[in-house]
Amino acid sequence: MNGILMMVIAIVVLGGGYLTYGRYLAKKWGIDENAKTPAYELEDGVDYVPADTNVVFGHQFASIAGAGPINGPIQAAIFGWLPVLLWILIGGLFFGAVQDFASMYASVKNKGRTIGYIIEEYIGKLGKKLFLAFCWLFCILVIAAFADVVAGTFNGFAVDEAGTVTGKIAANGSVAMTSMLFILEAVGLGMILKYCKFSKWVNTAIAIVMLVGGVAIGLGCPIYLSREAWHIIVFIYIMIACVVPVWALLQPRDYLNSYLLIFMIAAAIIGVFVANPKCNLEAFSGFEVDGQYLFPILFVTIACGAVSGFHSLVSSGTASKQIKNEKNMLPVSFGAMLMESMLAVIALIAVASFSKGEAAAQGLTTQPQIFAGAIANFLTVIGLPHSLVFTLINLAVSAFALTSLDSVARVGRLSFQEFFMDEDTDEENMGPVLKVVTNKYFATIITLVLAYLLAKVGYAEIWPLFGSANQLLSVLALVACAVFLKKTKRQGAMLWIPMVFMMGVTFTALGMTIVKLSKAFVTTGLTLGNTLQLIFAILLLILGVIVAVQGIRKLLEKKDC
């Protein structure tokens, strides 16, 4: 197996799947091009804001991708390239894309409401409350994990095992400066998009000029701060991004980043085709490797590249409120998921290009560094400077993670607020306590404080729990969408196999995590971070099981009403 053959297989499977299975689902469920979407019906200038297809696609793709499709396949590569490739293609097409499309479809058909409200409508109020609690805990995990990834990518100093600073990391400094400039540029671009009413081509030209300018300044003027300092700065940014109107930061940042992300994927594909890297991984290395079992570890590690519950929160929480026409749902949801699967395949090719120990010998110790280093190696074949490509790819990865943070923090804030509100809540006459807990600033602060404490544990420790919780969320989303399709007389059988399979994966994985943390508590005691992880794992498992059982009961009811 070589890089080109792996890439061609992925393009044929994913592209063919979009044209056949995706269109089949759209036809089966029904798309009304003349319907007034929630973005117009409930337009409020904050969350409900109509946006062009390319803008919403950029938001959806950048938000759902994050660092997941790069980190997951590289970590899972210990099992060999074959199981990783099979799960990315099968999971991406028949599990992930179906879940994302169904979540967005159900949301748009229900006034742009989140999966939580869909559960309330079709399963019950208790199910909604438990699901929102689950979502809130899950969002805290995502924020903690991705914030630590971003802080690590921005960290300007190299340290030895003793923690002594040994030098500056120029690439990280450039990535940090450029990312900060992108945030400022996004605010300016948001003003232009909202008030100037230029054509798409003019907006595109402005975005590209901003993109190139930010990269040029970042390369020339790197900023060097410690990982700890970046933790604080990133959380301050998340707090602001979580409460401002989507047109002021979220939409333009995603629009700006989408070009950078497209560049990264295009550059990676070109690199694979010009270098045609050899696959130095075994096809299959066993069902147990280094104490890790293929089931369920493979399926919770490769989350975003195959199926991810977090996607359902973006599809129903933010993107569905920006859809201008129902026909845009298929490319924005189904299409973005398959694009993410393609990125996961590229990450697999990247890690497979290194011989055993080669990446570490080159100083590539994190998954984003391995990915960026491999793509830089590929493109040196056509004469591009290794250091420039390495910096730009790192920048794109950080853009993925930052964009995910924007979205998940907003979803976490909304989940916390919605937990205390019902359909019949009178917002004008709420009591003082209810006013506080439903206040967006209070909800944001309490969410981010817990996420910050958990982020100090470190990304590597959080990821297994995040992966398990993420996939359990996909189970709940699939259950909710299946019930919605049944209650509205639509075909939902295609959700059953993904739902049952992911139940087996997630309940097993969370159970193993709880056992592992419990043993650590008995033998060595638990740190604050591990204690939080154990509490989160137990709560997530309990909440997930209860919601899943409630949903399945509704699904198996003989009566449809």
Side-chain angles (χ1 to χ4, degrees), residues 219-239:
L219 290 172
C221 304
I223 181 172
Y224 297 103
L225 293 173
S226 68
R227 188 190 195 105
E228 291 71 24
W230 280 119
H231 266 136
I232 296 172
I233 294 171
V234 167
F235 272 94
I236 291 173
Y237 163 73
I238 301 170
M239 182 170 65

Side-chain angles (χ1 to χ4, degrees), residues 452-485:
Y452 178 80
L453 293 174
L454 201 56
K456 308 307 288 183
V457 177
Y459 157 79
E461 292 297 320
I462 299 171
W463 187 261
L465 180 55
F466 156 72
S468 302
N470 185 34
Q471 302 305 61
L472 181 51
L473 181 57
S474 74
V475 172
L476 305 184
L478 288 166
V479 170
C481 291
V483 174
F484 158 75
L485 292 171

Side-chain angles (χ1 to χ4, degrees), residues 48-68:
Y48 290 85
V49 180
D52 291 334
T53 307
N54 59 332
V55 175
V56 188
F57 179 89
H59 161 70
Q60 176 81 3
F61 179 53
S63 297
I64 66 174

Side-chain angles (χ1 to χ4, degrees), residues 27-60:
K27 184 178 180 180
K28 198 74 176 176
W29 293 343
I31 297 295
D32 185 358
E33 296 184 16
N34 298 316
K36 191 175 184 180
T37 62
Y40 285 111
E41 185 181 357
L42 302 170
E43 185 173 0
D44 61 4
V46 179
D47 294 313
Y48 290 85
V49 180
D52 291 334
T53 307
N54 59 332
V55 175
V56 188
F57 179 89
H59 161 70
Q60 176 81 3

Side-chain angles (χ1 to χ4, degrees), residues 138-152:
F138 171 73
C139 286
I140 291 171
L141 281 175
V142 179
I143 296 168
F146 281 17
D148 188 58
V149 169
V150 172

